[in-house]
Amino acid sequence: MDRVELAGFLRRRREELRPEDVGLPVGARRRAPGLRREEVAALAAMSTDYYTRLEQQRGPQPSEQMLTALARALRLTDDERDYLFRVAGRNAPSPRTGATHVVPALQRVLDRLDDTPALILSNLGEVLMQNRFAEALYGDSSRFTGYARSGIYRWFTDPDERLVYPEHDRERQGRTQVANLRAAYASMGPRSRAGELVRALQKESAEFAELWERHEVAKRFEDHKVLIHPQLGEIEVDCQALFTEDQSQALLVLTAPPRTEAFDKLQLLGVLGTEKFVS
């Protein structure tokens, strides 16, 4: 771990960002350029004290999870992310591991979407980022660990995962999940995280194993779908997907036509948030 290089790199990247670059309000005039340390810490879900110690060359070696969070908070490119890992004494993620560093171009778009559900998914069905509307609709994805970080894995191992779709649409959704995973498996290889996920699901789900044998391949999302919210009921939405050039990540945006019941329900998500109501 090169503390001097790590501290200098973090400080320079922080000073080059502006609040509007990361979806924060501009607010009053600032005495110093760039983001404040507490803002970077909040974006990375770490304490201000922890981040400050890193910039002051006295912090502990960050974990890979911490470095990934910092790379997202500072909107680093892939090259900058790899450099961050190396000066911190960690191996840079390889494509075969299915790295979950959010592509900055997608992240900039997501930062500006604050009136409708939007989220960024990896090709393994992992939610890499989500706005408050998506969290209110799908739940907080950060609580999942291990294989369960993949929505594909949860679809075949956790019955609750299917409750967001009407019962008549669940068979099609299952086939779509498997077809998307097969596309990721083809691009990442059998010894990748995609391969590990396939092997784990073949052991745990007879339904998955049967669908896997169909050899269906797809890499797209249904343009129109019905989702179910615990309090608001069915919400009919249009789904638009923006893929990265290598197809490894996608930004999903859910919308409904103005002046419709579905539109009003999506707006209400911003009011309800993730609060649960008891009847």
Side-chain angles (χ1 to χ4, degrees):
M1 176 178 173
D2 189 331
R3 296 181 185 276
V4 175
E5 286 297 322
L6 176 62
F9 181 71
L10 291 174
R11 183 170 57 253
R12 176 63 69 176
R13 296 282 80 78
R14 174 175 62 82
E15 291 173 349
E16 290 181 347
L17 285 173
R18 298 293 181 269
E20 57 268 30
D21 296 334
V22 297
L24 294 176
V26 177
R29 186 174 180 178
R30 295 170 179 243
R31 290 176 293 178
L35 297 180
R36 301 184 178 100
R37 286 173 175 168
E38 58 265 29
E39 290 172 331
V40 174
L43 289 169
M46 62 181 61
S47 71
T48 301
D49 177 67
Y50 181 93
Y51 178 76
T52 299
R53 283 186 289 150
L54 291 177
E55 278 203 9
Q56 293 177 345
Q57 305 175 26
R58 58 188 182 88
Q61 183 183 30
S63 65
E64 293 181 0
Q65 291 80 6
M66 283 291 190
L67 293 171
T68 298
L70 282 170
R72 293 180 188 172
L74 295 170
R75 292 357 187 211
L76 301 185
T77 65
D78 287 350
D79 290 339
E80 290 170 336
R81 174 209 59 192
D82 291 352
Y83 179 79
L84 173 66
F85 270 71
R86 292 186 180 112
V87 296
R90 303 287 186 184
N91 292 324
S94 68
R96 191 175 289 272
T97 64
T100 56
H101 175 59
V102 177
V103 175
L106 291 188
Q107 192 164 358
R108 287 194 295 270
V109 178
L110 180 64
D111 287 339
R112 288 157 176 78
L113 293 171
D114 195 35
D115 61 353
T116 197
L119 59 159
I120 297 175
L121 290 173
S122 75
N123 56 354
L124 299 183
E126 301 157 320
V127 176
L128 306 181
M129 292 189 71
Q130 58 185 159
N131 65 10
R132 61 191 180 94
F133 283 82
E135 184 175 341
L137 181 59
Y138 291 107
D140 180 11
S141 64
S142 64
R143 68 186 187 275
F144 298 114
T145 59
Y147 289 138
R149 292 190 63 241
S150 167
I152 303 172
Y153 181 84
R154 297 196 306 275
W155 183 268
F156 292 100
T157 60
D158 182 359
D160 288 344
E161 186 71 14
R162 306 189 179 201
L163 298 180
V164 73
Y165 288 99
E167 187 172 358
H168 66 79
D169 194 35
R170 293 171 189 172
E171 181 181 354
R172 182 183 61 82
Q173 287 296 330
R175 292 178 61 181
T176 300
Q177 298 276 17
V178 177
N180 284 332
L181 179 55
R182 185 171 282 282
Y185 179 87
S187 64
M188 298 173 67
R191 300 182 65 181
S192 66
R193 286 184 60 232
E196 293 178 8
L197 196 59
V198 169
R199 290 187 288 274
L201 282 170
Q202 285 175 323
K203 293 179 180 178
E204 297 186 39
S205 170
E207 179 188 2
F208 173 85
E210 180 181 349
L211 291 174
W212 185 254
E213 289 304 313
R214 295 190 182 194
H215 291 269
E216 294 177 337
V217 184
K219 190 179 287 187
R220 64 182 300 275
F221 294 87
E222 190 68 20
D223 296 332
H224 191 80
K225 62 178 67 178
V226 174
L227 301 175
I228 301 175
H229 184 270
Q231 281 77 45
L232 301 178
E234 292 189 355
I235 308 176
E236 195 170 348
V237 298
D238 295 311
C239 178
Q240 299 298 322
L242 175 63
F243 288 91
T244 55
E245 186 175 355
D246 64 0
Q247 303 278 297
S248 65
Q249 295 180 15
L251 170 64
L252 267 61
V253 183
L254 305 178
T255 62
R259 298 177 297 279
T260 63
E261 181 183 7
F263 180 86
D264 292 340
K265 287 182 177 181
L266 289 182
Q267 298 308 300
L268 192 53
L269 283 175
V271 178
L272 294 178
T274 55
E275 182 178 356
K276 302 300 182 184
F277 295 88
V278 179
S279 58

PDB file of all heavy atoms in Angstrom, residues 263-275:
ATOM      1  N   PHE A 263     -48.619   6.630 -13.747  1.00  0.00           N
ATOM      2  CA  PHE A 263     -47.754   7.797 -13.541  1.00  0.00           C
ATOM      3  C   PHE A 263     -47.916   8.334 -12.124  1.00  0.00           C
ATOM      4  O   PHE A 263     -46.935   8.632 -11.434  1.00  0.00           O
ATOM      5  CB  PHE A 263     -48.092   8.881 -14.564  1.00  0.00           C
ATOM      6  CG  PHE A 263     -47.260  10.124 -14.434  1.00  0.00           C
ATOM      7  CD1 PHE A 263     -46.025  10.227 -15.059  1.00  0.00           C
ATOM      8  CD2 PHE A 263     -47.707  11.200 -13.673  1.00  0.00           C
ATOM      9  CE1 PHE A 263     -45.255  11.377 -14.931  1.00  0.00           C
ATOM     10  CE2 PHE A 263     -46.946  12.353 -13.535  1.00  0.00           C
ATOM     11  CZ  PHE A 263     -45.719  12.440 -14.172  1.00  0.00           C
ATOM     12  N   ASP A 264     -49.153   8.457 -11.677  1.00  0.00           N
ATOM     13  CA  ASP A 264     -49.405   8.954 -10.324  1.00  0.00           C
ATOM     14  C   ASP A 264     -48.809   8.020  -9.274  1.00  0.00           C
ATOM     15  O   ASP A 264     -48.274   8.473  -8.251  1.00  0.00           O
ATOM     16  CB  ASP A 264     -50.910   9.103 -10.094  1.00  0.00           C
ATOM     17  CG  ASP A 264     -51.520  10.212 -10.946  1.00  0.00           C
ATOM     18  OD1 ASP A 264     -50.775  11.093 -11.400  1.00  0.00           O
ATOM     19  OD2 ASP A 264     -52.751  10.174 -11.164  1.00  0.00           O
ATOM     20  N   LYS A 265     -48.880   6.719  -9.525  1.00  0.00           N
ATOM     21  CA  LYS A 265     -48.314   5.762  -8.569  1.00  0.00           C
ATOM     22  C   LYS A 265     -46.791   5.879  -8.503  1.00  0.00           C
ATOM     23  O   LYS A 265     -46.198   5.783  -7.418  1.00  0.00           O
ATOM     24  CB  LYS A 265     -48.727   4.336  -8.944  1.00  0.00           C
ATOM     25  CG  LYS A 265     -50.182   4.012  -8.656  1.00  0.00           C
ATOM     26  CD  LYS A 265     -50.512   2.564  -8.996  1.00  0.00           C
ATOM     27  CE  LYS A 265     -51.952   2.225  -8.635  1.00  0.00           C
ATOM     28  NZ  LYS A 265     -52.278   0.810  -8.933  1.00  0.00           N
ATOM     29  N   LEU A 266     -46.150   6.088  -9.650  1.00  0.00           N
ATOM     30  CA  LEU A 266     -44.699   6.253  -9.652  1.00  0.00           C
ATOM     31  C   LEU A 266     -44.298   7.503  -8.878  1.00  0.00           C
ATOM     32  O   LEU A 266     -43.298   7.494  -8.144  1.00  0.00           O
ATOM     33  CB  LEU A 266     -44.172   6.329 -11.084  1.00  0.00           C
ATOM     34  CG  LEU A 266     -44.199   5.034 -11.895  1.00  0.00           C
ATOM     35  CD1 LEU A 266     -43.593   5.259 -13.277  1.00  0.00           C
ATOM     36  CD2 LEU A 266     -43.453   3.902 -11.185  1.00  0.00           C
ATOM     37  N   GLN A 267     -45.066   8.574  -9.028  1.00  0.00           N
ATOM     38  CA  GLN A 267     -44.758   9.786  -8.275  1.00  0.00           C
ATOM     39  C   GLN A 267     -44.947   9.559  -6.780  1.00  0.00           C
ATOM     40  O   GLN A 267     -44.198  10.098  -5.962  1.00  0.00           O
ATOM     41  CB  GLN A 267     -45.650  10.936  -8.752  1.00  0.00           C
ATOM     42  CG  GLN A 267     -45.457  11.308 -10.218  1.00  0.00           C
ATOM     43  CD  GLN A 267     -44.005  11.557 -10.563  1.00  0.00           C
ATOM     44  OE1 GLN A 267     -43.360  12.431 -10.008  1.00  0.00           O
ATOM     45  NE2 GLN A 267     -43.483  10.755 -11.479  1.00  0.00           N
ATOM     46  N   LEU A 268     -45.932   8.766  -6.440  1.00  0.00           N
ATOM     47  CA  LEU A 268     -46.207   8.482  -5.032  1.00  0.00           C
ATOM     48  C   LEU A 268     -45.081   7.682  -4.392  1.00  0.00           C
ATOM     49  O   LEU A 268     -44.869   7.754  -3.178  1.00  0.00           O
ATOM     50  CB  LEU A 268     -47.532   7.741  -4.902  1.00  0.00           C
ATOM     51  CG  LEU A 268     -48.136   7.589  -3.498  1.00  0.00           C
ATOM     52  CD1 LEU A 268     -48.251   8.949  -2.815  1.00  0.00           C
ATOM     53  CD2 LEU A 268     -49.496   6.916  -3.581  1.00  0.00           C
ATOM     54  N   LEU A 269     -44.349   6.921  -5.210  1.00  0.00           N
ATOM     55  CA  LEU A 269     -43.202   6.180  -4.674  1.00  0.00           C
ATOM     56  C   LEU A 269     -42.211   7.115  -3.994  1.00  0.00           C
ATOM     57  O   LEU A 269     -41.600   6.769  -2.976  1.00  0.00           O
ATOM     58  CB  LEU A 269     -42.483   5.427  -5.799  1.00  0.00           C
ATOM     59  CG  LEU A 269     -43.126   4.144  -6.309  1.00  0.00           C
ATOM     60  CD1 LEU A 269     -42.335   3.624  -7.495  1.00  0.00           C
ATOM     61  CD2 LEU A 269     -43.193   3.090  -5.216  1.00  0.00           C
ATOM     62  N   GLY A 270     -42.056   8.310  -4.574  1.00  0.00           N
ATOM     63  CA  GLY A 270     -41.127   9.263  -3.972  1.00  0.00           C
ATOM     64  C   GLY A 270     -41.571   9.755  -2.615  1.00  0.00           C
ATOM     65  O   GLY A 270     -40.752  10.164  -1.796  1.00  0.00           O
ATOM     66  N   VAL A 271     -42.870   9.708  -2.369  1.00  0.00           N
ATOM     67  CA  VAL A 271     -43.411  10.127  -1.077  1.00  0.00           C
ATOM     68  C   VAL A 271     -43.344   8.979  -0.076  1.00  0.00           C
ATOM     69  O   VAL A 271     -42.953   9.158   1.081  1.00  0.00           O
ATOM     70  CB  VAL A 271     -44.870  10.600  -1.225  1.00  0.00           C
ATOM     71  CG1 VAL A 271     -45.444  10.994   0.126  1.00  0.00           C
ATOM     72  CG2 VAL A 271     -44.948  11.770  -2.202  1.00  0.00           C
ATOM     73  N   LEU A 272     -43.695   7.778  -0.543  1.00  0.00           N
ATOM     74  CA  LEU A 272     -43.709   6.618   0.353  1.00  0.00           C
ATOM     75  C   LEU A 272     -42.313   6.196   0.745  1.00  0.00           C
ATOM     76  O   LEU A 272     -42.069   5.780   1.879  1.00  0.00           O
ATOM     77  CB  LEU A 272     -44.418   5.438  -0.333  1.00  0.00           C
ATOM     78  CG  LEU A 272     -45.910   5.593  -0.619  1.00  0.00           C
ATOM     79  CD1 LEU A 272     -46.427   4.362  -1.326  1.00  0.00           C
ATOM     80  CD2 LEU A 272     -46.678   5.813   0.684  1.00  0.00           C
ATOM     81  N   GLY A 273     -41.363   6.297  -0.199  1.00  0.00           N
ATOM     82  CA  GLY A 273     -40.023   5.808   0.066  1.00  0.00           C
ATOM     83  C   GLY A 273     -40.043   4.331   0.363  1.00  0.00           C
ATOM     84  O   GLY A 273     -40.832   3.572  -0.202  1.00  0.00           O
ATOM     85  N   THR A 274     -39.221   3.899   1.305  1.00  0.00           N
ATOM     86  CA  THR A 274     -39.160   2.485   1.671  1.00  0.00           C
ATOM     87  C   THR A 274     -39.932   2.201   2.956  1.00  0.00           C
ATOM     88  O   THR A 274     -39.812   1.139   3.530  1.00  0.00           O
ATOM     89  CB  THR A 274     -37.699   2.031   1.861  1.00  0.00           C
ATOM     90  OG1 THR A 274     -37.061   2.889   2.816  1.00  0.00           O
ATOM     91  CG2 THR A 274     -36.941   2.122   0.541  1.00  0.00           C
ATOM     92  N   GLU A 275     -40.727   3.179   3.399  1.00  0.00           N
ATOM     93  CA  GLU A 275     -41.504   2.990   4.630  1.00  0.00           C
ATOM     94  C   GLU A 275     -42.548   1.900   4.432  1.00  0.00           C
ATOM     95  O   GLU A 275     -43.199   1.815   3.395  1.00  0.00           O
ATOM     96  CB  GLU A 275     -42.181   4.293   5.026  1.00  0.00           C
ATOM     97  CG  GLU A 275     -42.972   4.197   6.332  1.00  0.00           C
ATOM     98  CD  GLU A 275     -43.602   5.527   6.731  1.00  0.00           C
ATOM     99  OE1 GLU A 275     -43.352   6.518   6.027  1.00  0.00           O
ATOM    100  OE2 GLU A 275     -44.324   5.545   7.735  1.00  0.00           O
TER     101      GLU A 275
END
